[in-house]
């Protein structure tokens, strides 16, 4: 039995601050200014005040992170690892961006060695940025998923991914068929789902690039493996929405929304994650809530591709499960601190505020709930996997100067999300083991 | 006579890429992949291909920056040095943000020692981010301007600043009077304007915090010192605009716009810089063009305070002088690379594109023109002051990986503005002397 403890300021969420009246918002989290996190065999066994827990430590080694803040590792609810090398590609909106940059870049992932090299760089980048769990798009090539799973297994990372399904409206070199999609996904599920901390997501790219037959295959895979995830895109920008509705006009009932197309094929499960949703209306949000599916909010990507402003407050009012995502390469940063920075701006442009508590909840416990992983990660609940990050308030001269003026933990969190980047991540731990040190 | 040369890839602008048809856009800049920049006594004496200029070098020492990109130092056309310690303050829009955070923070600048300490940190931060010239708000206290000028003089920096004029609608501890505003500004102009590379800006905070009498004092100062600048705010958000129009309803002709108030007082000169202008309409832009004044575009600030989306393309079509600004502490980064990242998103949300060439022109020569300093800085024109930055394409692992896929200088510039931050600034030079090394 390996047992270790970490001394630092420690914060994690117990519930959603959005659900509480303002005066009781402090009930949403536990904060220990001089705290202790105890880890046994990779799991959290205790968290609380240092002074209270220290006497029971015995000869347990204590890692001293005083002056820093430990929070649960961030989750990234939608990211494309094959797009790491094309992050920040200029000028296009979604559909032309796919054709111009994305598809050519993804072609190279037919090659296992290339996929392995990028998978390694990608996972290193996640850890540099404090992200300990991600829901990841691979490419259409089974080997692309294999390469990512191999590396994540070595790191003992809690990660969900899957081979992409796409059989139309894309270059031939990126298309599978309903049959190969089924067979390859099935083989990958059998090999990887549940191995180490890995999990599988059936991953149709989006309704525009999968035929109705292939969407039925996706449903069949979910029926046969009901503990797998469904991961796809929805309603990112307006021309995409119009196109999808036209594409399925004969297949679905009149007036079916883009999201409704997925529902038509039975793809809205409790483990379904729909990325973007910028153009979803209230009826769509209500359908998401009813199916207990989740939406992944992708701030830097939505701004970079000019898709629009996600209706964050409305999504919260309708109480859908909401996760935070970078959407690299449509997004411009692997840092969830920077995603929160942009999320704040998106909410602000709509005349509202995203508090630091809501923000950090979203990046940790909220995203864990969106991924149906909150019984494993996203907070320091007893028995959860000990994935966490050590945030350094003195990471840069400006951060140090600004933090000196911060009064209280909420302002500190806000400064981290406004000024912080990968440098603010002093260390990242996976299951109690240090996987990244700055 | 001191003579030195710098070998690197070198880029600077000769004219505005916006003015050229797409096919001729390469005429807007000079790019030397293996270039040489020659500096004598702090001034640029030559720039071109290394192979061409090397034979004439003689025993001139050559600093080898091969593998890096030298561009002119960035200009920041609107920034508040006293707000450095409150950057990233949560939640408010402009007017309540001033009352809640800004005014209390500025109070401390009555103390010269405090002002000196923050001025030093601020100027260091500018240089870390590759900014070599800035138009800077101090506070109402004459000593705040003094502290900044002292430090900038020591650094030999090309910098414009001035004591703030504000005599109403602010806490008493931050108010001067028309009389003290005049006397203190006059004394500061006499002491600092034209000393070293320092220049003075008459700086009424905005029409809401200066009385008509004080705006007349500002005009009097400009009349007596026609080579000084005028620096103020305009039309940042909607409630501010409504308030200003109400405030001046009796003073100005019916229908006078917020900008028109400044014009009414004769404050729109060729050296007037108006920060923000998010809410300016076409008639306002046309007035800016007619008066040959300039607007400072503040991307991170406008998003952070939720002020709205600056009508960039319209401003370019009407051909006003436009500068780029961080507006720290309303802005969230000292990095003009990050300002460009956000500028791109603001333009994209309006269905348009900001090219990397337009962007880097804006941050260098465009801003120098906006500040009427293009005969001194902003490009490597013969005889200009040798202010420049050395950009490192390998500054972070992600930047290195992404740059390896970049084809050509334009894509490299775009990657710098999307993924770059202060780490991408390997060195910053003022008048040929290294003032910052990473």
């Amino acid at each position: 039995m390996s047992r270790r403890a970490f001394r630092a300021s420690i914060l994690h969420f117990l519930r959603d601050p959005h659900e509480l009246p303002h005066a009781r918002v402090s009930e949403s989290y536990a904060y220990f200014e001089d705290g202790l996190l105890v880890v046994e065999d990779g799991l959290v066994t205790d968290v609380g005040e240092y002074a209270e827990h220290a006497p029971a430590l015995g000869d347990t080694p204590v890692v001293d992170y005083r002056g820093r803040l430990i929070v649960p590792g961030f989750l990234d609810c939608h990211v494309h690892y094959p797009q790491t090398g094309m992050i920040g590609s200029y000028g296009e909106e979604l559909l032309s961006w796919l054709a111009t940059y994305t598809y050519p870049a993804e072609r190279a992932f037919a090659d296992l060695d290339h996929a392995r090299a990028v998978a390694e760089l990608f996972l290193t980048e996640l850890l540099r940025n404090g992200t300990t769990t991600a829901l990841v798009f691979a490419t259409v090539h089974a080997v692309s998923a294999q390469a990512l799973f191999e590396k994540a297994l070595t790191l003992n990372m809690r990660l969900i991914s899957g081979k992409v399904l796409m059989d139309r409206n894309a270059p031939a070199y990126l298309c599978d068929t309903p049959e190969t999609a089924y067979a390859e996904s099935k083989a990958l599920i059998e090999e990887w789902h549940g191995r180490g901390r890995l999990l599988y997501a059936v991953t149709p790219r989006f309704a525009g690039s999968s035929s109705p037959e292939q969407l039925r295959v996706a449903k069949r895979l979910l029926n046969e493996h009901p503990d797998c995830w469904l991961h796809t895109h929805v309603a990112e920008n307006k021309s995409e929405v119009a196109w999808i509705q036209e594409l399925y006009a004969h297949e679905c009932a009149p007036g079916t929304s883009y999201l409704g197309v997925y529902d038509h094929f039975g793809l809205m499960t409790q483990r379904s994650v729909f990325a973007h949703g910028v153009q979803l209306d209230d009826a769509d949000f209500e359908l998401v809530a009813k199916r207990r599916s989740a939406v992944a909010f992708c701030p830097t990507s939505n701004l970079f591709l000019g898709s629009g402003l996600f209706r964050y407050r409305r999504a919260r009012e309708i109480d859908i499960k909401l996760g935070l995502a970078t959407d690299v390469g449509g997004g411009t940063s692997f840092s969830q601190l920077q995603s929160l920075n942009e999320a704040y701006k998106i909410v602000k442009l709509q005349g509202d505020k995203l508090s630091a508590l809501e923000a950090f909840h979203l990046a940790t416990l909220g995203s864990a709930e969106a991924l149906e992983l909150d019984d494993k990660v996203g907070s320091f609940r007893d028995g959860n996997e000990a994935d966490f990050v050590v945030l350094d308030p003195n990471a840069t001269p400006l951060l140090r100067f600004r933090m000196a003026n911060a009064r209280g933990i909420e302002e500190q969190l806000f400064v981290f999300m406004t000024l912080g980047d990968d440098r603010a991540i002093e260390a990242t731990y996976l299951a109690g083991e240090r996987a990244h040190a700055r």
Side-chain angles (χ1 to χ4, degrees), chain A:
Chain A
M1 189 190 82
S2 97
R3 188 165 190 260
R4 267 199 304 173
F6 301 85
R7 185 177 183 181
S9 296
I10 299 174
L11 175 121
H12 72 130
F13 286 88
L14 311 171
R15 53 184 293 194
D16 188 345
H18 170 73
E19 291 169 1
L20 293 163
H22 187 69
R24 289 176 49 210
V25 79
S26 65
E27 294 170 25
S28 66
Y29 63 90
Y31 174 61
F32 311 102
E33 191 167 348
D34 181 11
L36 194 75
L37 177 70
V38 186
V39 176
E40 269 184 47
D41 295 330
L43 303 180
V44 172
T45 59
D46 250 324
V47 64
E49 295 291 354
Y50 176 80
E52 196 177 310
H53 288 75
L57 277 175
D59 58 359
T60 304
V62 178
V63 182
D64 189 348
Y65 280 125
R66 272 178 291 179
R68 277 81 103 209
L69 175 67
I70 286 180
V71 299
F74 303 129
L75 292 91
D76 187 343
C77 296
H78 173 67
V79 57
H80 297 255
Y81 98 84
Q83 295 178 19
T84 305
M86 49 159 288
I87 184 173
S89 286
Y90 170 74
E92 304 302 327
E93 295 192 14
L94 177 64
L95 298 179
S96 51
W97 189 82
L98 288 171
T100 309
Y101 299 112
T102 312
Y103 292 153
E106 292 194 1
R107 184 175 199 170
F109 288 75
D111 177 59
L112 180 60
D113 288 338
H114 177 76
R116 282 176 169 151
V118 179
E120 175 148 15
L121 188 122
F122 167 80
L123 292 173
T124 304
E125 204 60 35
L126 289 191
L127 294 169
R128 275 171 62 83
N129 285 284
T131 296
T132 50
T133 283
L135 174 59
V136 188
F137 258 69
T139 66
V140 72
H141 315 95
V143 293
S144 72
Q146 177 194 333
L148 185 70
F149 281 134
E150 283 173 2
K151 294 285 174 192
L153 186 68
T154 311
L155 288 164
N156 189 26
M157 198 166 180
R158 175 64 67 191
L159 187 125
I160 317 174
S161 189
K163 158 206 148 55
V164 172
L165 316 185
M166 50 195 297
D167 65 351
R168 64 169 174 172
N169 295 321
Y173 60 74
L174 278 191
C175 285
D176 57 5
T177 67
E179 296 71 30
T180 60
Y182 176 79
E184 291 178 0
S185 298
K186 188 98 185 159
L188 286 164
I189 291 168
E190 282 162 8
E191 184 170 2
W192 296 104
H193 184 62
R195 189 162 163 197
R197 301 168 72 198
L198 304 175
L199 299 163
Y200 198 87
V202 176
T203 309
R205 182 171 216 116
F206 70 123
S209 60
S210 282
S211 65
E213 294 68 31
Q214 195 173 53
L215 294 181
R216 279 187 274 270
V217 157
K219 177 60 179 169
R220 184 174 158 203
L221 287 163
L222 292 180
N223 284 342
E224 292 169 7
H225 305 278
D227 57 345
C228 280
W229 276 253
L230 184 287
H231 183 197
T232 191
H233 298 88
V234 77
E236 186 168 351
N237 86 10
K238 285 184 181 160
S239 50
E240 178 208 14
V241 171
W243 179 52
I244 298 296
Q245 286 183 308
E246 191 189 312
L247 205 56
Y248 284 86
H250 297 295
E251 185 76 29
C252 300
T256 302
S257 72
Y258 182 169
L259 181 73
V261 170
Y262 294 123
D263 197 45
H264 173 83
F265 289 94
L267 297 177
M268 294 187 69
T269 79
Q270 194 173 340
R271 286 185 175 160
S272 295
V273 179
F274 297 96
H276 300 291
V278 175
Q279 314 297 335
L280 295 181
D281 64 16
D282 281 10
D284 290 320
F285 279 157
E286 277 152 16
L287 182 60
V288 172
K290 188 172 167 191
R291 299 283 183 253
R292 304 181 62 194
S293 299
V295 169
F297 172 26
C298 310
T300 71
S301 171
N302 295 160
L303 290 180
F304 184 69
L305 297 177
S307 303
L309 306 178
F310 181 75
R311 297 162 65 231
Y312 172 81
R313 189 55 60 198
R314 198 71 191 114
R316 299 312 314 271
E317 284 163 359
I318 293 177
D319 203 22
I320 66 168
K321 290 191 298 182
L322 193 63
L324 183 70
T326 64
D327 188 37
V328 165
T332 51
S333 173
F334 278 102
S335 168
Q336 289 292 48
L337 297 173
Q338 283 307 299
S339 295
L340 292 177
N341 183 356
E342 299 281 77
Y344 178 84
K345 290 170 178 172
I346 286 172
V347 175
K348 205 74 171 65
L349 280 173
Q350 296 173 83
D352 199 355
K353 301 178 191 181
L354 175 70
S355 78
L357 292 175
E358 273 192 276
F360 273 76
H361 172 268
L362 179 64
T364 58
L365 182 58
S367 286
E369 287 170 351
L371 298 185
E372 293 284 323
L373 289 176
D374 51 306
D375 60 337
K376 296 183 177 63
V377 296
S379 76
F380 299 136
R381 198 161 59 177
D382 246 34
N384 265 13
E385 297 160 359
D387 291 352
F388 60 90
V389 297
V390 182
L391 293 169
D392 176 8
N394 301 311
T396 67
L398 184 62
L399 204 52
R400 176 197 304 267
F401 185 67
R402 179 62 183 84
M403 281 292 183
N405 295 326
R407 289 148 300 187
I409 180 64
E410 193 166 347
E411 187 171 352
Q412 285 171 40
L413 292 176
F414 193 69
V415 174
F416 270 126
M417 70 188 247
T418 307
L419 301 184
D421 55 32
D422 52 304
R423 286 171 286 188
I425 311 298
E426 179 167 330
T428 305
Y429 282 77
L430 295 176
E433 298 297 324
R434 199 175 66 188
H436 163 73
R438 188 186 53 198

